Amino acid sequence: MLNTTAIVTTSRNSNPTNDLLAEQTAKTLGIPFVPRKTFSLGELRAVHDAPCILVAKNNALVLETPDGELFFHPNMSHLRVKNLRKGQHDNMAEAMALAPGMSVLDGTLGFGADAIVASFVTGEHGRVVGLEASPLIAAVTAHGLANFSRENEPMTAAMRRIEVVNTDALAYLRAQPDNAFDIVYFDPMFRHPLMQSENMNPLRYAADHAPVSEAMIAEARRVARRRVVLKETSKSTEFARLGFPEIAGGRYSPVHYGVWRKS
Ligand SMILES: C[S@@+](CC[C@H](N)C(=O)[O-])C[C@H]1O[C@@H](n2cnc3c(N)ncnc32)[C@H](O)[C@@H]1O
C-alpha cells in the first residue's frame, strides 16, 4: 500500500517563489495547498489528518514523513560520475553495457541516482525515462532533477535530461511498443534490506514496496531492445525467481545486477 495522503505547504518564512511552487505542486498532485502561517508541521499534520507534508522551501520540495524528511540530492551519483569521468568503471553501467546514445527505462526511479549515472553515460543523444509509483517521491525527484543547481556541468546536464513519469512501471510498460528502450532497469525496494539504516526510513515510508512481478519482467523483456537489468542484494533469490540467467557486479559487492539479454 502506498502512503500518499499529503498536503502541500511552505516554510514559515516563505517567499513568492516558494508560494508558487507549493501551489503548483498541490495542483499537479491534486492535493490541498495549506498556507503555513505560524503553524508547526505537527499542528498541520493533526488538523489535516495528513501523515505526509510536502514543504516548498529554498526553491526545493522537502517531503516530511512521520519517519523523517526526504529531499532530493544527487547522493552517490556524484562520486560514480566522477569515477566514470576518470575512466573507472561502474557496475550498473557495465551490467547494462551502456553506451552513448542508448535509451534507458528506469522502472524504479526513487531519488534518481542510478538514472543520473545512466543519463551521464548515454549522453545528450541518449534518453532516460524514470518511472516512480509514489506521487510524493516523484514530485520531489522531478523538481530536484530539473532545478538542483549545486552540481558541475556534466552532472547538471545529466540530471536535466531525465524524464520523470509518476506511474506504476507495469502500467507504463504495457503501453509501450516492442523494443521501445535499449535497457529496462529495476532497482526495487530490496526484499531484505542490507541494513536497518534510519536514513532510509523516510524513503521506506513513502515508497512502493511491492515485489517485482513476473508480469513486469515479461513486459520488460518485450519492451527492451537489448537487456533487462535487476538490482538486488547479492544473496537475493529474486534473480532466480524472476529468471535472470546472468549475475553481474563486484565479487565482494553487497549488491548484484541480474542481466537478461535479448538474443
Ligand atoms: C530502491 S528505490 C530506487 C532507488 C534508485 N535506483 C536511486 O538510485 O535512487 C525504489 C523506488 O522504486 C519505486 N517503485 C517500486 N515499485 C515500483 C513500480 N512498480 N513502479 C514504479 N516505481 C516503483 C519505489 O517507490 C522507490 O521509490
Side-chain angles (χ1 to χ4, degrees):
M1 251 287 275
L2 266 175
N3 287 314
T4 54
T5 311
I7 58 170
V8 188
T9 190
T10 63
S11 58
R12 285 192 178 113
N13 58 346
S14 189
N15 59 29
T17 310
N18 289 322
D19 290 346
L20 188 64
L21 172 58
E23 283 172 41
Q24 281 175 343
T25 304
K27 203 169 159 193
T28 308
L29 296 182
I31 58 179
F33 165 66
V34 178
R36 179 69 181 264
K37 298 185 180 159
T38 57
F39 296 114
S40 70
L41 291 177
E43 286 167 334
L44 289 181
R45 213 172 244 136
V47 170
H48 296 277
D49 198 15
C52 288
I53 305 182
L54 273 168
V55 184
K57 61 179 179 189
N58 305 326
N59 195 27
L61 285 174
V62 177
L63 177 61
E64 299 283 349
T65 79
D67 292 344
E69 68 175 23
L70 281 175
F71 50 88
F72 175 82
H73 191 275
N75 296 319
M76 283 303 286
S77 64
H78 176 91
L79 187 63
R80 289 169 64 192
V81 166
K82 192 173 166 185
N83 288 341
L84 281 165
R85 292 176 75 197
K86 284 196 282 190
Q88 295 175 8
H89 83 136
D90 179 90
N91 285 343
M92 180 199 79
E94 249 170 43
M96 293 178 177
L98 217 51
M102 281 190 184
S103 55
V104 177
L105 180 65
D106 180 346
T108 51
L109 180 68
F111 283 105
D114 288 333
I116 294 170
V117 174
S119 174
F120 171 76
V121 178
T122 55
E124 58 180 325
H125 301 299
R127 182 178 185 217
V128 177
V129 176
L131 313 179
E132 174 51 55
S134 160
L136 306 177
I137 297 174
V140 171
T141 302
H143 187 269
L145 289 170
N147 294 280
F148 191 84
S149 59
R150 300 193 304 278
E151 267 296 352
N152 55 45
E153 198 280 324
M155 278 290 290
T156 304
M159 290 192 287
R160 301 293 187 265
R161 283 194 294 268
I162 298 168
E163 302 163 45
V164 179
V165 186
N166 170 213
T167 182
D168 174 67
L170 179 57
Y172 186 92
L173 283 163
R174 281 188 171 142
Q176 301 307 303
D178 295 358
N179 303 318
F181 289 85
D182 288 307
I183 310 292
V184 178
Y185 175 66
F186 301 105
D187 171 19
M189 301 301 285
F190 293 155
R191 293 298 88 205
H192 301 285
L194 282 172
M195 43 183 180
Q196 296 303 330
S197 159
E198 283 195 11
N199 293 342
M200 287 285 289
N201 286 347
L203 176 69
R204 289 197 184 112
Y205 186 90
D208 185 340
H209 292 258
V212 173
S213 64
E214 287 170 28
M216 262 161 88
I217 296 298
E219 282 296 308
R221 288 179 177 186
R222 183 184 64 74
V223 169
R225 195 162 28 230
R226 295 166 189 267
R227 291 183 180 202
V228 179
V229 176
L230 171 77
K231 177 170 158 188
E232 249 290 357
T233 54
S234 52
K235 296 196 170 67
S236 176
T237 54
E238 289 293 88
F239 300 121
R241 179 179 74 84
L242 295 166
F244 284 86
E246 274 176 60
I247 307 291
R251 196 191 301 174
Y252 303 108
S253 170
V255 298
H256 279 163
Y257 298 89
V259 179
W260 176 88
R261 302 178 193 222
K262 192 168 256 181
S263 44

Short mmCIF file of all heavy atoms in Angstrom, two decimals, residues 25-76:
data_model
loop_
_atom_site.label_atom_id
_atom_site.label_comp_id
_atom_site.label_asym_id
_atom_site.label_seq_id
_atom_site.Cartn_x
_atom_site.Cartn_y
_atom_site.Cartn_z
N THR A 25 2.55 22.59 -7.11
CA THR A 25 2.71 21.18 -6.74
C THR A 25 1.39 20.61 -6.26
O THR A 25 1.00 19.49 -6.64
CB THR A 25 3.78 21.04 -5.63
OG1 THR A 25 4.99 21.63 -6.10
CG2 THR A 25 4.04 19.59 -5.27
N ALA A 26 0.67 21.38 -5.44
CA ALA A 26 -0.63 20.92 -4.93
C ALA A 26 -1.59 20.68 -6.10
O ALA A 26 -2.30 19.67 -6.14
CB ALA A 26 -1.20 21.95 -3.97
N LYS A 27 -1.55 21.60 -7.06
CA LYS A 27 -2.45 21.48 -8.21
C LYS A 27 -2.10 20.24 -9.03
O LYS A 27 -2.96 19.43 -9.40
CB LYS A 27 -2.29 22.74 -9.08
CG LYS A 27 -3.48 23.03 -9.95
CD LYS A 27 -3.33 24.41 -10.53
CE LYS A 27 -4.20 24.51 -11.76
NZ LYS A 27 -3.91 25.69 -12.56
N THR A 28 -0.80 20.06 -9.30
CA THR A 28 -0.36 18.91 -10.10
C THR A 28 -0.74 17.59 -9.44
O THR A 28 -1.17 16.65 -10.10
CB THR A 28 1.18 18.94 -10.28
OG1 THR A 28 1.54 20.23 -10.77
CG2 THR A 28 1.67 17.87 -11.25
N LEU A 29 -0.55 17.53 -8.12
CA LEU A 29 -0.80 16.27 -7.41
C LEU A 29 -2.26 16.11 -7.01
O LEU A 29 -2.67 15.04 -6.53
CB LEU A 29 0.08 16.17 -6.16
CG LEU A 29 1.59 16.11 -6.39
CD1 LEU A 29 2.33 15.97 -5.06
CD2 LEU A 29 1.96 14.94 -7.29
N GLY A 30 -3.04 17.20 -7.15
CA GLY A 30 -4.46 17.12 -6.76
C GLY A 30 -4.64 16.94 -5.26
O GLY A 30 -5.52 16.22 -4.80
N ILE A 31 -3.74 17.58 -4.47
CA ILE A 31 -3.85 17.52 -3.01
C ILE A 31 -3.92 18.96 -2.48
O ILE A 31 -3.55 19.90 -3.18
CB ILE A 31 -2.68 16.74 -2.36
CG1 ILE A 31 -1.32 17.36 -2.72
CG2 ILE A 31 -2.71 15.28 -2.79
CD1 ILE A 31 -0.12 16.65 -2.09
N PRO A 32 -4.39 19.16 -1.23
CA PRO A 32 -4.61 20.53 -0.75
C PRO A 32 -3.31 21.33 -0.55
O PRO A 32 -2.31 20.78 -0.07
CB PRO A 32 -5.32 20.34 0.59
CG PRO A 32 -5.79 18.93 0.62
CD PRO A 32 -4.87 18.15 -0.27
N PHE A 33 -3.38 22.61 -0.92
CA PHE A 33 -2.33 23.57 -0.53
C PHE A 33 -2.81 24.25 0.74
O PHE A 33 -3.92 24.79 0.78
CB PHE A 33 -2.11 24.61 -1.63
CG PHE A 33 -1.32 25.81 -1.14
CD1 PHE A 33 0.00 25.66 -0.76
CD2 PHE A 33 -1.91 27.06 -1.05
CE1 PHE A 33 0.73 26.74 -0.28
CE2 PHE A 33 -1.19 28.16 -0.57
CZ PHE A 33 0.13 27.99 -0.20
N VAL A 34 -1.99 24.22 1.78
CA VAL A 34 -2.37 24.83 3.06
C VAL A 34 -1.37 25.92 3.41
O VAL A 34 -0.18 25.62 3.60
CB VAL A 34 -2.39 23.76 4.18
CG1 VAL A 34 -2.75 24.39 5.52
CG2 VAL A 34 -3.34 22.62 3.84
N PRO A 35 -1.81 27.20 3.47
CA PRO A 35 -0.85 28.26 3.85
C PRO A 35 -0.26 27.96 5.23
O PRO A 35 -0.97 27.55 6.15
CB PRO A 35 -1.73 29.51 3.89
CG PRO A 35 -2.91 29.18 3.02
CD PRO A 35 -3.14 27.72 3.18
N ARG A 36 1.05 28.13 5.35
CA ARG A 36 1.75 27.72 6.56
C ARG A 36 1.41 28.61 7.76
O ARG A 36 1.32 28.14 8.90
CB ARG A 36 3.26 27.73 6.29
CG ARG A 36 4.14 27.34 7.46
CD ARG A 36 3.98 25.85 7.77
NE ARG A 36 4.79 25.47 8.90
CZ ARG A 36 6.01 24.94 8.82
NH1 ARG A 36 6.55 24.71 7.64
NH2 ARG A 36 6.68 24.63 9.90
N LYS A 37 1.32 29.92 7.49
CA LYS A 37 1.11 30.89 8.58
C LYS A 37 2.12 30.61 9.71
O LYS A 37 3.30 30.48 9.45
CB LYS A 37 -0.34 30.84 9.07
CG LYS A 37 -1.32 31.23 7.95
CD LYS A 37 -2.72 31.30 8.42
CE LYS A 37 -3.63 31.68 7.26
NZ LYS A 37 -5.01 31.31 7.47
N THR A 38 1.67 30.47 10.95
CA THR A 38 2.62 30.22 12.04
C THR A 38 2.53 28.79 12.57
O THR A 38 3.09 28.46 13.60
CB THR A 38 2.37 31.20 13.21
OG1 THR A 38 1.02 31.02 13.63
CG2 THR A 38 2.62 32.64 12.81
N PHE A 39 1.81 27.92 11.82
CA PHE A 39 1.60 26.55 12.31
C PHE A 39 2.88 25.72 12.27
O PHE A 39 3.69 25.86 11.35
CB PHE A 39 0.53 25.85 11.48
CG PHE A 39 -0.82 26.48 11.57
CD1 PHE A 39 -1.40 27.08 10.46
CD2 PHE A 39 -1.52 26.50 12.78
CE1 PHE A 39 -2.64 27.69 10.54
CE2 PHE A 39 -2.77 27.09 12.86
CZ PHE A 39 -3.33 27.69 11.74
N SER A 40 3.01 24.81 13.22
CA SER A 40 4.10 23.82 13.15
C SER A 40 3.64 22.70 12.22
O SER A 40 2.44 22.55 11.95
CB SER A 40 4.40 23.26 14.54
OG SER A 40 3.33 22.43 14.95
N LEU A 41 4.62 21.88 11.75
CA LEU A 41 4.24 20.76 10.89
C LEU A 41 3.35 19.78 11.66
O LEU A 41 2.41 19.22 11.11
CB LEU A 41 5.50 20.06 10.37
CG LEU A 41 6.33 20.86 9.37
CD1 LEU A 41 7.58 20.08 8.98
CD2 LEU A 41 5.52 21.22 8.12
N GLY A 42 3.64 19.61 12.94
CA GLY A 42 2.83 18.70 13.77
C GLY A 42 1.38 19.17 13.83
O GLY A 42 0.45 18.35 13.74
N GLU A 43 1.21 20.47 13.98
CA GLU A 43 -0.17 21.01 14.03
C GLU A 43 -0.88 20.79 12.70
O GLU A 43 -2.04 20.36 12.65
CB GLU A 43 -0.13 22.51 14.37
CG GLU A 43 0.19 22.77 15.83
CD GLU A 43 0.55 24.23 16.12
OE1 GLU A 43 1.03 24.94 15.20
OE2 GLU A 43 0.37 24.66 17.27
N LEU A 44 -0.17 21.06 11.59
CA LEU A 44 -0.79 20.88 10.26
C LEU A 44 -1.16 19.40 10.04
O LEU A 44 -2.22 19.08 9.52
CB LEU A 44 0.16 21.33 9.16
CG LEU A 44 0.37 22.84 9.04
CD1 LEU A 44 1.32 23.14 7.88
CD2 LEU A 44 -0.95 23.57 8.82
N ARG A 45 -0.25 18.53 10.46
CA ARG A 45 -0.48 17.08 10.31
C ARG A 45 -1.75 16.67 11.05
O ARG A 45 -2.60 15.95 10.51
CB ARG A 45 0.71 16.36 10.93
CG ARG A 45 1.05 15.10 10.25
CD ARG A 45 2.35 14.52 10.79
NE ARG A 45 3.35 14.49 9.76
CZ ARG A 45 4.60 14.86 9.91
NH1 ARG A 45 5.02 15.33 11.06
NH2 ARG A 45 5.43 14.80 8.91
N ALA A 46 -1.89 17.18 12.27
CA ALA A 46 -3.04 16.79 13.09
C ALA A 46 -4.33 17.38 12.53
O ALA A 46 -5.32 16.66 12.36
CB ALA A 46 -2.81 17.26 14.53
N VAL A 47 -4.30 18.66 12.18
CA VAL A 47 -5.54 19.33 11.71
C VAL A 47 -6.02 18.72 10.40
O VAL A 47 -7.22 18.54 10.18
CB VAL A 47 -5.30 20.85 11.56
CG1 VAL A 47 -6.46 21.53 10.86
CG2 VAL A 47 -5.06 21.48 12.92
N HIS A 48 -5.06 18.43 9.49
CA HIS A 48 -5.46 17.97 8.15
C HIS A 48 -5.42 16.45 8.01
O HIS A 48 -5.68 15.93 6.93
CB HIS A 48 -4.58 18.64 7.09
CG HIS A 48 -4.77 20.12 7.08
ND1 HIS A 48 -5.79 20.72 6.40
CD2 HIS A 48 -4.10 21.10 7.72
CE1 HIS A 48 -5.73 22.03 6.60
NE2 HIS A 48 -4.72 22.29 7.40
N ASP A 49 -5.08 15.77 9.09
CA ASP A 49 -5.06 14.31 9.09
C ASP A 49 -4.21 13.79 7.92
O ASP A 49 -4.62 12.88 7.18
CB ASP A 49 -6.49 13.78 8.99
CG ASP A 49 -6.55 12.32 9.43
OD1 ASP A 49 -5.58 11.85 10.05
OD2 ASP A 49 -7.55 11.65 9.11
N ALA A 50 -3.05 14.43 7.72
CA ALA A 50 -2.18 14.08 6.59
C ALA A 50 -0.81 13.68 7.13
O ALA A 50 -0.06 14.53 7.62
CB ALA A 50 -2.02 15.28 5.66
N PRO A 51 -0.46 12.38 7.08
CA PRO A 51 0.85 11.97 7.61
C PRO A 51 2.02 12.60 6.88
O PRO A 51 3.05 12.87 7.48
CB PRO A 51 0.85 10.45 7.43
CG PRO A 51 -0.37 10.09 6.67
CD PRO A 51 -1.27 11.27 6.57
N CYS A 52 1.87 12.83 5.57
CA CYS A 52 2.98 13.41 4.81
C CYS A 52 2.69 14.87 4.44
O CYS A 52 1.56 15.22 4.08
CB CYS A 52 3.20 12.62 3.51
SG CYS A 52 3.94 11.01 3.80
N ILE A 53 3.74 15.68 4.52
CA ILE A 53 3.61 17.09 4.14
C ILE A 53 4.75 17.44 3.18
O ILE A 53 5.93 17.23 3.51
CB ILE A 53 3.68 18.03 5.37
CG1 ILE A 53 2.61 17.62 6.40
CG2 ILE A 53 3.50 19.47 4.95
CD1 ILE A 53 2.57 18.51 7.63
N LEU A 54 4.40 17.92 2.01
CA LEU A 54 5.41 18.43 1.08
C LEU A 54 5.62 19.90 1.40
O LEU A 54 4.67 20.68 1.40
CB LEU A 54 4.92 18.30 -0.36
CG LEU A 54 5.17 16.97 -1.08
CD1 LEU A 54 4.37 16.91 -2.36
CD2 LEU A 54 6.65 16.76 -1.37
N VAL A 55 6.86 20.27 1.68
CA VAL A 55 7.15 21.65 2.05
C VAL A 55 8.01 22.28 0.96
O VAL A 55 9.09 21.77 0.64
CB VAL A 55 7.91 21.71 3.40
CG1 VAL A 55 8.13 23.16 3.82
CG2 VAL A 55 7.13 20.96 4.49
N ALA A 56 7.52 23.38 0.38
CA ALA A 56 8.31 24.12 -0.61
C ALA A 56 9.17 25.12 0.15
O ALA A 56 8.65 26.04 0.79
CB ALA A 56 7.38 24.83 -1.59
N LYS A 57 10.48 24.92 0.11
CA LYS A 57 11.39 25.87 0.77
C LYS A 57 12.72 25.90 0.04
O LYS A 57 13.16 24.89 -0.51
CB LYS A 57 11.58 25.53 2.25
CG LYS A 57 12.18 24.19 2.57
CD LYS A 57 12.32 24.06 4.08
CE LYS A 57 12.88 22.73 4.47
NZ LYS A 57 12.85 22.46 5.90
N ASN A 58 13.34 27.06 0.03
CA ASN A 58 14.63 27.25 -0.66
C ASN A 58 14.58 26.72 -2.09
O ASN A 58 15.50 26.06 -2.55
CB ASN A 58 15.78 26.56 0.10
CG ASN A 58 15.85 27.02 1.53
OD1 ASN A 58 15.55 28.18 1.83
ND2 ASN A 58 16.21 26.12 2.44
N ASN A 59 13.49 26.97 -2.78
CA ASN A 59 13.28 26.51 -4.16
C ASN A 59 13.50 25.01 -4.31
O ASN A 59 14.05 24.54 -5.30
CB ASN A 59 14.17 27.29 -5.14
CG ASN A 59 13.71 27.08 -6.57
OD1 ASN A 59 12.53 26.81 -6.81
ND2 ASN A 59 14.63 27.17 -7.52
N ALA A 60 13.08 24.24 -3.32
CA ALA A 60 13.13 22.77 -3.40
C ALA A 60 11.88 22.23 -2.70
O ALA A 60 11.20 22.95 -1.96
CB ALA A 60 14.38 22.25 -2.71
N LEU A 61 11.60 20.95 -2.96
CA LEU A 61 10.48 20.31 -2.28
C LEU A 61 11.04 19.32 -1.27
O LEU A 61 11.87 18.47 -1.63
CB LEU A 61 9.60 19.55 -3.28
CG LEU A 61 8.69 20.38 -4.17
CD1 LEU A 61 8.00 19.46 -5.19
CD2 LEU A 61 7.65 21.13 -3.36
N VAL A 62 10.60 19.42 -0.03
CA VAL A 62 11.03 18.51 1.01
C VAL A 62 9.80 17.73 1.46
O VAL A 62 8.76 18.32 1.73
CB VAL A 62 11.63 19.28 2.21
CG1 VAL A 62 12.01 18.32 3.33
CG2 VAL A 62 12.84 20.09 1.76
N LEU A 63 9.94 16.40 1.51
CA LEU A 63 8.81 15.57 1.95
C LEU A 63 9.00 15.21 3.41
O LEU A 63 9.95 14.50 3.76
CB LEU A 63 8.72 14.31 1.08
CG LEU A 63 7.61 13.32 1.47
CD1 LEU A 63 6.24 13.97 1.38
CD2 LEU A 63 7.68 12.07 0.61
N GLU A 64 8.11 15.71 4.25
CA GLU A 64 8.16 15.39 5.68
C GLU A 64 7.23 14.21 5.92
O GLU A 64 6.02 14.31 5.72
CB GLU A 64 7.67 16.60 6.51
CG GLU A 64 8.49 17.86 6.33
CD GLU A 64 9.81 17.82 7.09
OE1 GLU A 64 10.02 16.91 7.91
OE2 GLU A 64 10.65 18.71 6.84
N THR A 65 7.85 13.07 6.30
CA THR A 65 7.04 11.89 6.63
C THR A 65 7.07 11.71 8.15
O THR A 65 7.93 12.31 8.82
CB THR A 65 7.62 10.61 5.98
OG1 THR A 65 8.72 10.16 6.77
CG2 THR A 65 8.07 10.83 4.55
N PRO A 66 6.23 10.87 8.70
CA PRO A 66 6.30 10.62 10.15
C PRO A 66 7.64 10.00 10.55
O PRO A 66 8.00 10.03 11.72
CB PRO A 66 5.15 9.63 10.39
CG PRO A 66 4.23 9.81 9.24
CD PRO A 66 5.09 10.19 8.07
N ASP A 67 8.39 9.45 9.59
CA ASP A 67 9.69 8.82 9.89
C ASP A 67 10.89 9.69 9.52
O ASP A 67 12.02 9.19 9.49
CB ASP A 67 9.81 7.47 9.16
CG ASP A 67 8.83 6.45 9.71
OD1 ASP A 67 8.31 6.68 10.82
OD2 ASP A 67 8.57 5.45 9.03
N GLY A 68 10.65 10.95 9.20
CA GLY A 68 11.77 11.84 8.87
C GLY A 68 11.57 12.51 7.52
O GLY A 68 10.55 12.29 6.86
N GLU A 69 12.56 13.34 7.14
CA GLU A 69 12.35 14.10 5.91
C GLU A 69 13.15 13.56 4.73
O GLU A 69 14.23 12.99 4.89
CB GLU A 69 12.63 15.59 6.12
CG GLU A 69 14.06 15.95 6.38
CD GLU A 69 14.25 17.47 6.46
OE1 GLU A 69 13.30 18.21 6.76
OE2 GLU A 69 15.39 17.91 6.23
N LEU A 70 12.61 13.77 3.55
CA LEU A 70 13.22 13.34 2.30
C LEU A 70 13.40 14.54 1.40
O LEU A 70 12.46 15.32 1.22
CB LEU A 70 12.24 12.41 1.56
CG LEU A 70 12.09 10.98 1.98
CD1 LEU A 70 10.99 10.32 1.18
CD2 LEU A 70 13.40 10.25 1.74
N PHE A 71 14.60 14.69 0.86
CA PHE A 71 14.80 15.78 -0.09
C PHE A 71 15.71 15.27 -1.19
O PHE A 71 16.44 14.29 -1.02
CB PHE A 71 15.41 17.01 0.59
CG PHE A 71 16.61 16.72 1.42
CD1 PHE A 71 17.88 16.72 0.86
CD2 PHE A 71 16.47 16.41 2.76
CE1 PHE A 71 18.99 16.42 1.61
CE2 PHE A 71 17.59 16.10 3.53
CZ PHE A 71 18.86 16.11 2.96
N PHE A 72 15.67 15.95 -2.33
CA PHE A 72 16.48 15.50 -3.45
C PHE A 72 17.95 15.85 -3.24
O PHE A 72 18.27 16.97 -2.83
CB PHE A 72 16.00 16.13 -4.76
CG PHE A 72 16.90 15.76 -5.91
CD1 PHE A 72 16.76 14.54 -6.55
CD2 PHE A 72 17.92 16.61 -6.30
CE1 PHE A 72 17.62 14.17 -7.56
CE2 PHE A 72 18.79 16.25 -7.32
CZ PHE A 72 18.63 15.03 -7.95
N HIS A 73 18.83 14.90 -3.53
CA HIS A 73 20.27 15.16 -3.55
C HIS A 73 20.89 14.12 -4.49
O HIS A 73 20.44 12.98 -4.49
CB HIS A 73 20.86 15.03 -2.14
CG HIS A 73 22.27 15.52 -2.08
ND1 HIS A 73 23.34 14.72 -2.42
CD2 HIS A 73 22.78 16.72 -1.77
CE1 HIS A 73 24.45 15.43 -2.31
NE2 HIS A 73 24.14 16.65 -1.91
N PRO A 74 21.89 14.50 -5.29
CA PRO A 74 22.46 13.51 -6.22
C PRO A 74 23.11 12.31 -5.53
O PRO A 74 23.35 11.27 -6.15
CB PRO A 74 23.52 14.31 -6.99
CG PRO A 74 23.15 15.73 -6.80
CD PRO A 74 22.46 15.82 -5.47
N ASN A 75 23.39 12.44 -4.23
CA ASN A 75 23.94 11.32 -3.46
C ASN A 75 25.13 10.67 -4.14
O ASN A 75 26.01 11.36 -4.65
CB ASN A 75 22.84 10.28 -3.15
CG ASN A 75 21.76 10.88 -2.28
OD1 ASN A 75 22.07 11.62 -1.36
ND2 ASN A 75 20.52 10.59 -2.58
N MET A 76 25.12 9.34 -4.18
CA MET A 76 26.29 8.61 -4.71
C MET A 76 26.51 8.83 -6.20
O MET A 76 27.59 8.53 -6.71
CB MET A 76 26.12 7.11 -4.45
CG MET A 76 26.40 6.69 -3.02
SD MET A 76 28.06 7.17 -2.51
CE MET A 76 29.03 5.98 -3.42
#
